Amino acid sequence: MYRYTFWLWFLLLAGLWGFALLQPQGAAGISPARWIGSALLFALYFLLPLFRRRAVAQAILLSSSGLVIMAVFWPLHTDSPNYFSLLLFAYLAGEAAYRLPGRHAFISGAVIGIWVVLPAFEENGQYFSFSFLFFYLAMLGLALSIFHRIHHEAEAVAARYDALLHEYRGLKRKAVSDEKLARQQERAQIGREIHDSVGHKLTNLLMQLEVARMEAGETKKERISLLKELAQESLDETRRAVKAWNEEEIGGIPAMIRLIRKLEAENFIRIQFSVKNRAFSARLTPEQAAAVYRAVQESLTNVMRHGPKREASITFESAGERIFRFEISNPILAGYRFEEGYGLTAMKERVQQAGGSLEILAFNSLFIVRGMFPLKKEDVAGGSDSIG
């Protein structure tokens, strides 16, 4: 947004400057000094965005721009006053009111006002009378002071809204995390109950059947052995079920889908999600599934925090049923550079600890997080592709 408004205001400044420069003799009468002054003014203008967070530097640049305007158009060797020069001063004062906090805006406006009045003393009010200039400065100062107050109050409201929204999202994430933790603890408790009660009884049954088999005659041993095998199979299946119950991490693919649906439902972000080549059938280990979940979660959080657009694409695929690959990408501004902070470093380490690899890059106006896990052939079950 700032980029487009910057160029819009630049066009306005360039138009005003061009009209002022052409008064009244046209392009043929523009001296080399004025061309140099033009270059200096626009150089100062393009330096402004580089000091967006430094009010003192911006105040100096705007005051210096006013000095350039005064130097270029003073003395006015014309037969009529150049009103476009006053519009240029008004433009600079408006920039000061828009960009700077109160004290810096006031000082910059005062300096620009001096540049406006100073030529009148040299010319004895020949082109702009003192009464006209003071009336002009008074009206301009009044209008810009009202604009400054309204604009910065709106900015303060927007900042408070962003802070509250950030806090709200943090609370929502904590609530979801607490809910998942509680659900995981409940599952662990149920698993222990099944393991302790059913497993203990089945083990006891096996021992009783073994005693019965040893005491039974030859005609009943075969039947008791069959009952013992059935009890052993039941015990093994119970143990596998409890293990699978406990191993179902909060970071499985279903959890990722719930996360995506939740973010979309709350209008936090727009997500294009695609699954290719039986990716849903690839059976990741709990550590791998958790690593993928955390990578997706961290990437989407970064998109919401830092992305110019709240939209992302997520792709899961299992190429050749030998690897599981995931990719999260989102649009970025041209020339975007990034440094790996704690979140990205932890994400990479988590994937590597789970036996995979992770690549993070900014390419072709996209920020891409791309990871891969090798799969064993027997870990891949049959299934059909689906696209969500």
Side-chain angles (χ1 to χ4, degrees), residues 251 256 283-293 326 354-356 373-375:
M256 295 177 212
R283 299 182 61 181
L284 299 170
T285 66
E287 292 78 12
Q288 292 172 337
V292 176
Y293 176 83
F326 66 95
F373 289 104
L375 295 176

Side-chain angles (χ1 to χ4, degrees), residues 68-88:
V68 172
I69 294 174
M70 186 194 71
V72 169
F73 297 105
W74 182 52
L76 300 176
H77 297 293
T78 62
D79 296 331
S80 60
N82 190 340
Y83 290 100
F84 288 104
S85 63
L86 295 185
L87 292 177
L88 287 169

Side-chain angles (χ1 to χ4, degrees), residues 118-273:
L118 199 58
F121 287 99
E122 172 67 19
E123 298 158 353
N124 295 319
Q126 180 180 358
Y127 299 105
F128 298 112
S129 65
F130 289 106
S131 59
F132 169 77
L133 288 178
F134 285 124
F135 178 76
Y136 162 76
L137 291 175
M139 292 297 101
L140 182 63
L142 178 63
L144 291 180
S145 64
I146 296 174
F147 166 76
H148 181 274
R149 180 173 58 81
I150 296 175
H151 172 65
H152 287 270
E153 284 180 354
E155 281 193 331
V157 171
R160 286 197 293 272
Y161 172 78
D162 288 340
L164 290 174
L165 183 60
H166 179 73
E167 184 71 16
Y168 166 76
R169 288 172 178 169
L171 291 174
K172 289 284 289 183
R173 285 194 291 271
K174 185 176 184 305
V176 172
S177 177
D178 292 344
E179 180 186 349
K180 290 177 179 176
L181 180 60
R183 189 165 57 245
Q184 192 177 26
Q185 291 175 342
E186 182 182 10
R187 295 168 68 89
Q189 179 65 26
I190 295 173
R192 283 195 296 270
E193 291 292 334
I194 294 174
H195 180 271
D196 293 345
S197 61
V198 180
H200 173 74
K201 290 178 180 178
L202 287 174
T203 302
N204 191 26
L205 176 60
L206 281 171
M207 294 176 62
Q208 295 296 329
L209 288 173
E210 177 62 17
V211 172
R213 190 186 66 82
M214 294 176 63
E215 295 176 352
E218 291 297 327
T219 55
K220 293 185 178 179
K221 279 188 177 180
E222 184 177 355
R223 188 172 182 180
I224 294 175
S225 297
L226 179 60
L227 292 175
K228 186 181 174 184
E229 290 178 3
L230 290 175
Q232 183 64 50
E233 290 177 1
S234 298
L235 179 61
D236 294 341
E237 289 179 0
T238 300
R239 287 173 174 169
R240 283 197 296 270
V242 171
K243 184 178 179 182
W245 180 279
N246 289 330
E247 284 184 348
E248 188 173 342
E249 292 277 346
I250 59 173
I253 289 180
M256 295 177 212
I257 296 175
R258 286 198 298 272
L259 173 65
I260 292 169
R261 286 175 176 171
K262 173 180 175 298
L263 295 176
E264 284 189 325
E266 295 177 352
N267 295 319
F268 286 161
I269 189 171
R270 295 190 301 275
I271 301 173
Q272 182 179 358
F273 183 42

